[in-house]
Amino acid sequence: MAARILLLPGDGIGPEVTGEARRVLEHVADRHGLALALEEGAIGGASIDACGEPLADAVLERARKSRAVLLGAVGGPRWDELPVDRRPEKGLLRIRKELGLFANLRPASVFPALASASTLRPEVVDGIDLLVVRELTGGLYFGEPRGTALVEGRREARNTMVYDETEIARITRVAFDAARRRRSHVTHVHKANVLEVSQLWMQVVDEVAGDYPDVELAHQLVDSCAMLLVRDPRRFDVMVTGNLFGDILSDEAAMITGSLGMLPSASLGEGGVGLYEPVHGSAPDIAGQDRANPLAAILSVAMLLEHSLDAAAAAAEVRDAVTAVLGAGHRTGDLLLEGEERPTLGCRAMGDRVLEALS
Ligand code: IPM
Ligand code: MG
């Protein structure tokens, strides 16, 4: 039976990059005899425009029945005036929550050909290979109570950071299991000098670590972690942290490798569906101009092949093709340094190069 894959291109550059990712997925599926049934649906601003809400129940149901979801990006200035609970981002948060996708894996490594694209010195960047394991369905993003109110004539707004021990333990296990397949080191990122929530994380992470005597554990305050990431990023293997810290640190980790345009992600949970999306956003400033970098979306396809289709060899082929294309000197605009003169490719042409490298 064909594995159902739901594409949710979303907004901004989402449709362009998922278009290229789709071509790559179809190509490798063909080569490896994987039977896929690809479908498309709306999310984010595109969905608001079509039906008034950022994720329709019917699309969510189709996602539940799929093996995997490949998402582009959501959001844009057109919908910026909407209240938070009706914005495009709400569609993304809702699909993550409803599908129980609590584990967000964001690998950041340096493609050798791109070491000079980082704003950090090549000797600092060379060899970065880290994985941010971000808790995705709890913490400040979802905590109650939340909202705005008028208190004694003054506007007040409130969000709540809350985690229970089960939520912490399960994401910690994902991080330790991943570390075993890598360099056996976990850094837990926290703010335990101020937050009770982080103190609970410390306790639970330590308890779980007891089951992994072969994996080394370090606790790191989030502010100093942000600093160490630019000073000595190679020290990190797996980082595990809550939703908000993970959001911030994964953008930082992505950028030090050269470009946010290169980083894929996988969101996994207890259910069978996996969701794959580039870490970069919708980049409305370059949307529709064929200037976006499709490589993060294409590398997200590699993660989809590996985690949802059990096709590690096909995933490796996709990664190798991306490495080869970069090695041959092909670049989209985001991969150039300030002042660097070099011809650049558009989104479609970059997709073409990857497909050529695959055949
Ligand atoms: C991300 C994004 C989202 C998040 C936004 C678009 C809601 O920044 O996936 O990192 O904050 O999780
Ligand atoms: Mg983010």
Side-chain angles (χ1 to χ4, degrees):
M1 216 177 79
R4 200 200 296 221
I5 311 288
L6 179 62
L7 280 97
L8 300 177
D11 309 322
I13 60 171
E16 299 162 58
V17 299
T18 44
E20 298 315 309
R22 177 187 187 136
R23 293 205 293 152
V24 168
L25 179 58
E26 286 174 327
H27 181 94
V28 291
D30 220 35
R31 269 170 70 106
H32 287 262
L34 304 167
L36 303 183
L38 299 184
E39 296 179 11
E40 287 209 12
I43 194 168
S47 174
I48 294 175
D49 291 350
C51 73
E53 44 181 332
L55 178 67
D57 291 342
V59 174
L60 183 60
E61 285 320 305
R62 282 162 67 204
R64 273 190 221 288
K65 294 198 188 98
S66 302
R67 179 79 64 85
V69 178
L70 181 64
L71 196 143
V74 296
R78 281 183 48 206
W79 307 281
D80 269 353
E81 302 305 316
L82 293 170
V84 275
D85 65 326
R86 285 174 34 219
R87 289 172 61 103
E89 289 81 357
K90 194 72 184 182
L92 179 56
L93 297 178
R94 179 163 180 234
I95 196 170
R96 288 171 175 172
K97 186 75 172 177
E98 296 268 356
L99 297 180
L101 305 171
F102 67 87
N104 185 216
L105 311 183
R106 298 188 159 185
S109 59
V110 178
F111 286 84
L114 290 183
S116 64
S118 173
T119 48
L120 301 183
R121 290 196 307 274
E123 67 268 26
V124 178
V125 168
D126 201 26
I128 293 177
D129 181 12
L130 62 89
L131 174 68
V132 179
V133 176
R134 167 189 178 193
E135 200 291 325
L136 202 60
T137 53
L140 206 45
Y141 275 56
F142 294 97
E144 298 284 347
R146 66 184 297 160
T148 53
L150 206 57
V151 180
E152 289 167 14
R154 288 193 299 273
R155 286 169 300 162
E156 188 182 277
R158 180 183 314 260
N159 291 96
T160 302
M161 188 188 273
V162 53
Y163 273 110
D164 72 33
E165 58 181 321
T166 356
E167 293 174 289
I168 303 169
R170 65 183 182 181
I171 190 72
T172 304
R173 288 191 185 283
V174 170
F176 275 85
D177 288 337
R180 277 190 170 156
R181 297 188 296 269
R182 298 170 47 95
R183 302 195 304 282
S184 298
H185 191 281
V186 171
T187 306
H188 162 235
V189 184
H190 65 89
K191 188 71 185 172
N193 52 352
V194 177
L195 304 176
E196 285 83 354
V197 170
S198 287
Q199 285 167 359
L200 180 62
W201 271 76
M202 288 276 241
Q203 290 164 17
V204 176
V205 169
D206 279 336
E207 286 156 20
V208 170
D211 294 338
Y212 297 82
D214 50 317
V215 178
E216 209 184 318
L217 168 66
H219 297 282
Q220 189 72 51
L221 283 162
V222 63
D223 48 355
S224 74
C225 183
M227 181 192 71
L228 288 169
L229 255 179
V230 286
R231 195 175 78 180
D232 182 20
R234 281 174 303 194
R235 69 160 64 207
F236 295 106
D237 179 15
V238 176
M239 267 183 203
V240 64
T241 191
N243 208 341
L244 182 68
F245 297 162
D247 177 45
I248 299 167
L249 292 175
S250 58
D251 268 25
E252 188 187 359
M255 203 60 211
I256 58 177
T257 67
S259 171
L260 196 51
M262 292 299 302
L263 262 82
S265 81
S267 302
L268 310 171
E270 275 145 1
V273 194
L275 183 145
Y276 302 84
E277 52 177 321
V279 170
H280 64 67
S282 58
D285 53 320
I286 59 164
Q289 301 169 31
D290 192 32
R291 285 169 60 198
N293 180 353
L295 295 178
I298 289 170
L299 291 167
S300 297
V301 164
M303 292 190 89
L304 186 158
L305 287 161
E306 185 177 336
H307 294 281
S308 285
L309 296 174
D310 204 16
E317 273 178 25
V318 172
R319 289 194 196 99
D320 289 348
V322 170
T323 306
V325 165
L326 294 170
H330 300 299
R331 299 287 185 272
T332 42
D334 58 302
L335 299 176
L336 297 194
L337 274 184
E338 200 73 9
E340 190 179 349
E341 303 270 347
R342 193 202 262 257
T344 56
L345 296 180
C347 184
R348 182 78 196 203
M350 186 55 111
D352 286 340
R353 295 293 93 76
V354 175
L355 285 169
E356 282 161 22
L358 279 167
S359 23

